[in-house]
């Protein structure tokens, strides 16, 4: 909207300027409209000494004033001694190179104004063109440099993401193969996760592995320009990609152009238009053509749901922070081209760098190299790395958890181990696919993934077990560290337990003391002020908490083993978890 308004104002200014300029020129012209006299008549008058004044200029006509006061204009003879001839006839000669009268000055200024306006406006348009040119140039650099292109082997960790993307590479390379089976090639892949975790790198690697051009753009490139330009940039981007046949289009920070419309007050016409252009282009690919759009975002939660529908970015891959082993591999990768001292222990460094992203690890290696170079030391040693490490910790924001202490790490480990243990023991039919103490974009602490079996109904005991799994994190903290050292890490868990218990009592009629009434229906939102109900909900949660604690107490050794495993590897998959529990 803002751009639209700006454009309108500029157009109005331009129109007014043009009209004024023309008007003034016409007025000035009119002032020059003297009666014309032919040159022969003029020479006759001259010979009769009836001419008083002549104004010479380089224009086609000269101004003549007669003794009688009459003014004329006549052909400018442009002959060499015209002035002398006039002077000999005692005519007053005025030479006008350029008259700086007020009218002319105003005209000049207005003319300059118009000129500046058009040059400026033209440049804006040209900006869009040069951005597009940049896009193609980048793509060309990549095509011609096959050996230097990013491959999956240049990315350490991110194994799950790589696995999903290998398939995309195959889609791009052999669309015919999939076409034969009537399969639709995925058009959009969304990579989401914290900054610096290698999303750009992964997208580049897809194009590198498939040997197709890479078109990197940023979501914000499409929204800071005049109305409609964003949409047309999208169209021309796709046109260019299509011209080359197969390609990977990478849109970083795609949330800039696909923000959840509900979140923006009043909506935004311009970004809607741009987003629609993108969606149209994506659904407009000929089937199985070999163009894949990869979007990246740190904020999947604010993304417009329209982007996530089938046929659009229907593959969503989380790119998470690296675990200990991945950190080691990333450090090793970025140490390859550097003269590392033999004493450097990258595994130890991987231990210390919990919550570091790939980009941060790369930066750490780079800073260490700079320090070594500054000291003119032959090799990068552990003291250089330590210096770099601590300066990075000091420089990072408080909110950043890079500086997590070992204590914190072990509390998180026990907390998550509690969830995993209870889940495995009381709901063996559920799967715990992953336990981790690395935060994901979805959860603040670590997480335990529970996949519940599909069921039409939940039994009372199912709900109670659910509550117990939620409470198990806090229960483990309390048992291991004592009542005084419990943490805030359980707040989401408690919220969940509370809501489940409330439903059990007030909606499902599953509490003997409260009977079969639907208190939820009776009281609506006022239910929280009903002391009897809330009292019952609290008792229920307390009973289940005690039950949870006693199960954990009976299995404290297993809990400790899981926590130790988490401390060491930061992430345990299902089989690792099972082998700990079963030994
Ligand atoms: P994102 O797009 O997720 O913000 P990038 O792909 O731009 O992150 O990563 C920035 C830099 O960090 C990369 O160029 C690379 O040097 C380093 N990096 C990040 N993740 C990895 C990884 N998994 N393996 C190797 N290097 C990585
Ligand atoms: Zn928890």
């Amino acid at each position: 909207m803002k751009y639209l308004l700006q454009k309108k104002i500029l157009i109005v200014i331009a129109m007014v300027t043009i009209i004024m300029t023309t008007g003034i020129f016409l007025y000035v012209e009119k002032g020059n409209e003297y009666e014309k006299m032919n040159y022969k008549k003029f020479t006759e008058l001259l010979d009769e000494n009836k001419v008083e004044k002549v104004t010479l200029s380089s224009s086609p006509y000269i101004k003549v004033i007669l003794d009688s006061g009459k003014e004329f204009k006549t052909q400018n003879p442009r002959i060499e001694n015209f002035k002398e001839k006039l002077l000999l006839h005692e005519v007053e000669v005025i030479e006008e190179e350029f008259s700086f009268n007020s009218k002319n000055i105003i005209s000049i200024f207005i003319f300059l104004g118009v000129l500046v306006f058009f040059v400026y406006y033209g440049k804006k348009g040209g900006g869009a063109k040069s951005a597009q040119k940049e896009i193609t140039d980048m793509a060309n650099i990549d095509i011609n440099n096959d050996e230097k292109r990013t491959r999956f082997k240049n990315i350490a960790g991110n194994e799950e993401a790589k696995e999903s993307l290998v398939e995309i590479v195959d889609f791009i390379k052999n669309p015919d193969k999939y076409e034969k089976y009537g399969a639709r090639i995925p058009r959009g892949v969304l990579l989401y996760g914290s900054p610096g975790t290698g999303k750009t790198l992964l997208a580049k690697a897809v194009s590198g592995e498939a040997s197709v051009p890479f078109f990197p753009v940023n979501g914000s490139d499409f929204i800071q320009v005049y109305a409609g330009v964003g949409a047309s940039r999208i169209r021309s981007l796709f046109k260019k990609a299509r011209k080359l046949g197969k390609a990977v289009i990478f849109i970083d920070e795609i949330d800039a152009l696909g923000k959840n419309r509900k979140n923006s007050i009043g909506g935004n016409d311009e970004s809607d238009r741009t987003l629609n252009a993108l969606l149209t282009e994506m659904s407009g690919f000929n089937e199985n053509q070999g163009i894949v759009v990869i979007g990246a975002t740190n904020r999947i939660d604010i993304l417009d749901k329209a982007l996530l529908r089938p046929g659009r970015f229907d593959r969503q891959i989380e790119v998470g922070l690296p675990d200990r082993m991945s950190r080691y591999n990333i450090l090793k990768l970025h140490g390859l081209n550097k003269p590392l001292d033999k004493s450097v222990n990258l595994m130890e460094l991987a231990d210390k760098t919990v919550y570091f992203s790939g980009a941060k690890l790369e930066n750490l290696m780079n800073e260490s190299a700079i320090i070594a170079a500054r000291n003119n030391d032959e090799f990068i040693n552990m003291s250089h790395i330590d210096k770099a490490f601590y300066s990075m910790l000091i420089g990072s924001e408080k909110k950043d958890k890079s500086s997590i202490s070992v204590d914190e790490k072990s509390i998180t480990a026990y907390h998550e181990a509690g969830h995993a243990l209870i889940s495995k023991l009381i709901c063996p039919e559920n799967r715990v696919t992953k336990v981790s103490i690395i935060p994901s974009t979805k959860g603040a602490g670590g997480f335990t993934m529970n996949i519940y079996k599909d069921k039409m109904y939940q039994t009372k005991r199912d709900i109670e077990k659910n509550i117990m799994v939620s409470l198990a994190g806090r229960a483990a903290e309390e048992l291991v560290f004592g009542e005084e050292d419990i943490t805030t890490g359980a707040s989401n868990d408690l919220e969940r337990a509370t809501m489940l218990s409330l439903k059990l009592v007030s909606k499902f009629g599953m509490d003997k003391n409260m009977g079969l009434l639907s208190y939820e229906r009776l009281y609506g939102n006022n239910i929280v002020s009903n002391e009897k109900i809330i009292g019952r909900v609290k008792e229920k949660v307390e009973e289940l908490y005690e039950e949870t604690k006693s199960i954990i107490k009976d299995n404290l050794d297993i809990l400790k083993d899981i926590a130790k495993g988490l401390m060491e590897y930061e992430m345990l998959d299902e089989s690792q978890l099972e082998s700990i529990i079963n030994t």
Side-chain angles (χ1 to χ4, degrees), residues 195-196 327 330-335 337-338 349 353 356-372 374 380 384-396 400 402:
R327 288 200 300 273
I330 294 172
L331 288 168
K332 210 164 70 175
L333 196 71
H334 290 289
N337 60 351
K338 297 182 178 69
L349 193 58
T353 46
F356 268 56
S357 66
K360 264 192 154 177
L361 294 168
E362 192 272 336
N363 192 237
L364 174 60
M365 292 307 277
N366 193 51
E367 289 296 317
S368 311
I370 289 172
I371 293 172
R374 215 186 283 142
I380 303 172
H384 302 138
I385 294 178
D386 276 343
K387 242 185 219 150
F389 177 71
Y390 287 109
S391 74
M392 275 179 80
L393 285 192
I394 291 162
S396 63
D400 191 329
S402 305

Side-chain angles (χ1 to χ4, degrees), residues 412 415-416 419 445-448 469-474 477 489-494:
T412 315
H415 179 106
E416 298 306 325
H419 286 306
F447 64 94
T448 303
V469 171
S470 297
L471 295 173
R474 167 60 68 82
E477 283 183 44
S491 65
N492 282 336
D493 299 337
L494 297 184

Side-chain angles (χ1 to χ4, degrees), residues 235-288:
R235 283 190 291 270
S236 78
L237 171 65
F238 278 81
K239 205 165 134 196
K240 286 202 172 104
R242 261 194 293 264
K243 235 183 239 163
L244 294 171
K246 299 175 174 188
V248 169
I249 295 176
F250 177 63
I251 309 178
D252 202 1
E253 295 179 40
I254 194 167
D255 43 287
L257 98 198
K259 250 189 209 126
N260 192 341
R261 281 174 244 209
K262 268 180 276 162
N263 286 351
S264 55
I265 309 147
N268 180 332
D269 291 357
E270 175 55 5
S271 73
D272 272 9
R273 239 195 289 186
T274 309
L275 180 60
N276 286 337
L278 173 66
L279 297 177
T280 312
E281 289 298 330
M282 286 181 73
S283 49
F285 295 163
N286 287 335
E287 296 286 334
N288 300 338

Side-chain angles (χ1 to χ4, degrees), residues 9 48-49 55 71 85 230 245 247 280 299 312 331 338 363 374-375 389 392 483-484 547 566:
I9 290 173
E48 289 164 33
N49 286 332
T55 310
E71 298 187 1
K85 190 176 165 188
T280 312
R299 300 286 316 271
R312 291 158 181 184
L331 288 168
K338 297 182 178 69
N363 192 237
R374 215 186 283 142
N375 293 352
F389 177 71
M392 275 179 80
E483 262 177 70
E484 296 304 313
E547 193 182 341
L566 280 173

Side-chain angles (χ1 to χ4, degrees), residues 328-426:
Y328 171 71
N329 288 325
I330 294 172
L331 288 168
K332 210 164 70 175
L333 196 71
H334 290 289
L336 283 180
N337 60 351
K338 297 182 178 69
L340 292 183
D341 192 86
K342 270 194 240 88
S343 67
V344 169
N345 185 340
L346 291 182
M347 204 60 191
E348 202 177 280
L349 193 58
D351 268 334
K352 286 203 295 195
T353 46
V354 190
Y355 301 139
F356 268 56
S357 66
K360 264 192 154 177
L361 294 168
E362 192 272 336
N363 192 237
L364 174 60
M365 292 307 277
N366 193 51
E367 289 296 317
S368 311
I370 289 172
I371 293 172
R374 215 186 283 142
N375 293 352
N376 293 318
D377 289 334
E378 199 181 347
F379 296 104
I380 303 172
N381 62 36
M382 217 54 196
S383 86
H384 302 138
I385 294 178
D386 276 343
K387 242 185 219 150
F389 177 71
Y390 287 109
S391 74
M392 275 179 80
L393 285 192
I394 291 162
S396 63
E397 308 162 52
K398 275 223 179 70
K399 162 168 131 245
D400 191 329
K401 295 205 188 123
S402 305
S403 53
I404 186 180
S405 66
V406 177
D407 281 355
E408 277 178 72
K409 197 174 162 182
S410 90
I411 291 174
T412 315
Y414 274 99
H415 179 106
E416 298 306 325
H419 286 306
L421 175 68
I422 287 295
S423 185
K424 272 283 168 199
L425 290 180
I426 68 174

Side-chain angles (χ1 to χ4, degrees), residues 10 42 72 147 180 364 476 567:
L10 285 174
F42 168 72
F72 292 100
E147 266 150 49
K180 242 185 10 212
L364 174 60
M567 295 276 282

